[in-house]
Amino acid sequence: MSDTGTRLRPRVVPKLARPRLHKVILLNDDFTPRDFVVMVLKAEFRLGADQARRVMITAHQKGACVVSVYPRDIAETKAARATDAGRAKGHPLTFTTEPEE
Ligand code: TYC
């Protein structure tokens, strides 16, 4: 049989790294009212009342608390919106993001 020049070779399919999720982190401060923090957690992150209060208390006692994890653009958008909601009412409430390990 003649050589057709179509030698079969295993197809190389590069493994794509799964994009890392990013944590949204709530930071404590001395001024934002507790009920306002809970309200923002419920509205922006869709936490239930009990979970929102637990997250708020953890941040209050430990200095920070992970709220949730999302793809990077969603985490950054939610953190900015939640921080802005506090600024709009004159509160220093701050949410940050960082990649998961
Ligand atoms: N520490 C605030 C207070 O005592 C309440 C608070 C809790 C603020 C958690 C921010 O992420 C926070 N009024």
Side-chain angles (χ1 to χ4, degrees):
M1 213 197 299
S2 62
D3 183 352
T4 62
T6 57
R7 185 168 59 88
L8 290 177
R9 73 174 86 73
R11 193 143 64 100
V12 178
V13 180
K15 283 244 162 54
L16 295 177
R18 196 185 297 281
R20 277 201 290 181
L21 294 174
H22 282 56
K23 299 182 278 193
V24 175
I25 300 165
L26 168 65
L27 304 182
N28 187 39
D29 67 70
D30 290 339
F31 304 102
T32 307
R34 293 179 182 208
D35 286 348
F36 186 84
V37 180
V38 171
M39 185 269 289
V40 170
L41 289 169
K42 288 160 69 178
E44 186 60 42
F45 300 97
R46 317 303 299 171
L47 300 190
D50 290 354
Q51 184 64 9
R53 185 152 289 276
R54 273 196 291 272
V55 167
M56 180 278 294
I57 287 290
T58 301
H60 177 76
Q61 292 176 340
K62 299 194 165 181
C65 182
V66 174
V67 177
S68 195
V69 295
Y70 304 96
R72 179 179 175 178
D73 57 339
I74 295 174
E76 289 176 349
T77 299
K78 285 184 172 289
R81 283 171 49 102
T83 298
D84 287 349
R87 294 299 189 279
K89 297 289 183 191
H91 303 310
L93 181 65
T94 301
F95 292 79
T96 62
T97 65
E98 62 178 61
E100 270 198 327
E101 307 71 44

